[in-house]
Amino acid sequence: MFHTVITGLLMMFVLPLAAAEKIDSAIGTGRPVNNGDFGSANSVNIGQPFGVEVGPRGAMYITEVENHRVIKYLPKTGKVRTVAGNGKKGLTRDGGLAIEAALNEPYEVRFAGNGDMYFVEMKNHMVRKVDAKTQIISTVAGTGERGLSGDDGPAINARLNNPHSITLDNKGNLYIADIGNHRIRKVDLVSGMIQSIAGNDQRLLPQDGQLAKGNSILGPRALFYRDNILWIALREGHSVWKLDFSDGRLWHIAGTGAKGYSGDGGSPIKATFDGPKGIVVDKQGRILVVDTENHAIRRIDLVQNKIATVAGNGVAGFSGDGGLAVEATMSRPHGIGIDLRGRIYVGDTNNHVIRVFKAPK
């Protein structure tokens, strides 16, 4: 059992926050230059954090694009340390320790139920795995060369094109947002085989209710799996969709497809986004979207049929710590994760920090 299963292990381990309704910069200094692999969270620099994920035993994991590392944060100690990447840009092949490997822009990180860590190396066009017991790195998908090939064959022989996001289901499958190919790929982690489950050579928005396989999908940037549904944020498509595996169809959730920043308080379908690059679903079933170029976090409530901004004020900047999340400024945020107490973690990328807040009920 994979990503969704491990959340049950996290109940007792949460990131401290002074006041639930406030926003704070919990990790990082605001400076990007690599100044070490371990230390206190407020002294170790984190350069361009993208993916943010809560992993086994409540640790938080961050993909650090500028310094080509994956960082682990322990809430109980307030310490961070590198768990993958030696800080140098490059490509180290399989078989060595993850912390000794050269990486090239890790974008997102996820965990299997057994603690194995999976992450995307966007510029190496690969998905990698770190074994929980040995800490050895291996390749799950991609050859290291950019392209489109390999469907219905071994994933390690397939070519990807700037993969950005991954997610795991509870059936042993890995899903890849192969954004440069405008496809979503699926890897069976038991057989190692890969296939395209959405997308084709046409760079067009999907049609509501159409079959995903073989039909267009425009810029799939962020993925999140829960309860047999794959939630998808489209970067070029400025919208949010879901792929329901019970019928294999894509359903339109939010965004008109036009670039903009509008719609709060109204129907999600009529809202506009600008390059959304992160997505997660909370325990109430509400979808949180990182509206990156609007420097905001939006929340979609399908029961109430409403969308709202829950963090960021739409202006790029770095302000607001200790105040209300909706009054703060961020700068091109990317990744997003949630713990079981509802605290939301955001990679505030150009500010080189992780912001933490709790959205209103």
Side-chain angles (χ1 to χ4, degrees):
M1 293 185 291
F2 285 78
H3 171 70
T4 54
V5 179
I6 68 167
T7 55
L9 301 175
L10 309 181
M11 185 70 74
M12 297 178 63
F13 302 91
V14 295
L15 185 66
L17 194 62
E21 71 275 11
K22 307 296 185 182
I23 190 168
D24 284 295
S25 298
I27 305 169
T29 66
R31 296 180 294 275
V33 178
N34 186 343
N35 69 341
D37 286 320
F38 58 89
S40 63
N42 59 5
S43 67
V44 174
N45 296 344
I46 299 177
Q48 291 192 336
F50 269 53
V52 184
E53 179 76 340
V54 179
R57 293 177 293 280
M60 183 158 73
Y61 292 77
I62 303 147
T63 56
E64 187 189 8
V65 169
E66 185 162 335
N67 293 318
H68 311 287
R69 303 182 296 186
V70 181
I71 302 293
K72 176 181 179 180
Y73 168 69
L74 290 174
K76 294 182 73 174
T77 65
K79 302 291 186 180
V80 297
R81 68 178 178 90
T82 300
V83 294
N86 62 14
K88 298 178 181 178
K89 179 180 178 179
L91 172 55
T92 297
R93 295 290 181 173
D94 298 349
L97 290 173
I99 58 172
E100 297 175 355
L103 311 178
N104 197 345
E105 298 197 9
Y107 260 46
E108 196 164 74
V109 58
R110 302 291 192 202
F111 287 86
N114 66 354
D116 287 348
M117 181 173 75
Y118 293 78
F119 64 90
V120 176
E121 284 191 69
M122 192 272 283
K123 287 298 185 182
N124 279 335
H125 315 288
M126 304 169 81
V127 179
R128 313 300 293 277
K129 182 181 84 169
V130 179
D131 186 277
K133 294 180 180 179
T134 66
Q135 300 303 302
I136 297 296
I137 193 169
S138 60
T139 301
V140 175
T143 65
E145 297 182 4
R146 178 180 177 179
L148 172 60
S149 68
D151 273 352
D152 303 315
I156 58 173
N157 294 336
R159 290 189 180 184
L160 309 174
N161 187 348
N162 292 303
H164 278 51
S165 178
I166 55 173
T167 194
L168 296 157
D169 66 16
N170 56 354
K171 301 173 184 178
N173 298 305
L174 169 81
Y175 302 91
I176 305 169
D178 192 0
I179 193 169
N181 288 321
H182 296 273
R183 283 167 170 79
I184 297 174
R185 319 281 289 272
K186 182 177 84 169
V187 178
D188 183 321
L189 294 174
V190 176
S191 69
M193 304 295 278
I194 191 171
Q195 62 175 301
S196 293
I197 62 169
N200 57 25
D201 292 334
Q202 294 181 313
R203 300 185 176 188
L204 301 171
L205 275 171
Q207 296 181 15
D208 194 25
Q210 75 177 13
L211 288 171
K213 190 173 180 63
N215 286 311
S216 62
I217 191 165
L218 182 60
R221 171 58 179 83
L223 306 176
F224 183 83
Y225 174 89
R226 179 176 292 172
D227 298 333
N228 211 37
I229 290 175
L230 187 65
W231 301 91
I232 308 161
L234 303 185
R235 185 181 68 184
E236 284 82 2
H238 308 293
S239 53
V240 178
W241 297 72
K242 73 174 183 179
L243 170 50
D244 190 332
F245 288 119
S246 65
D247 59 17
R249 297 182 181 276
L250 287 163
W251 299 98
H252 189 193
I253 300 301
T256 65
K259 182 189 297 187
Y261 185 20
S262 66
D264 280 355
S267 170
I269 291 288
K270 297 179 181 179
T272 56
F273 297 87
D274 190 355
K277 296 180 177 68
I279 191 167
V280 71
V281 180
D282 70 15
K283 63 182 179 180
Q284 290 85 20
R286 300 170 302 191
I287 304 103
L288 289 115
V289 180
V290 183
D291 196 357
T292 299
E293 308 307 334
N294 286 324
H295 318 286
I297 311 301
R298 317 281 292 277
R299 186 175 70 187
I300 300 162
D301 189 321
L302 296 178
V303 175
Q304 296 186 6
N305 192 37
K306 288 186 178 180
I307 187 170
T309 296
V310 293
N313 61 15
V315 177
F318 186 22
S319 68
D321 278 355
L324 294 176
V326 291
E327 296 177 357
T329 58
M330 294 184 283
S331 184
R332 300 195 73 241
H334 282 78
I336 187 167
I338 307 176
D339 71 19
L340 288 185
R341 294 191 180 181
R343 290 184 175 92
I344 300 166
Y345 316 97
V346 176
D348 193 353
T349 304
N350 283 358
N351 287 324
H352 312 294
V353 295
I354 303 298
R355 310 295 285 274
V356 186
F357 67 96
K358 189 169 183 179
K361 295 182 179 180

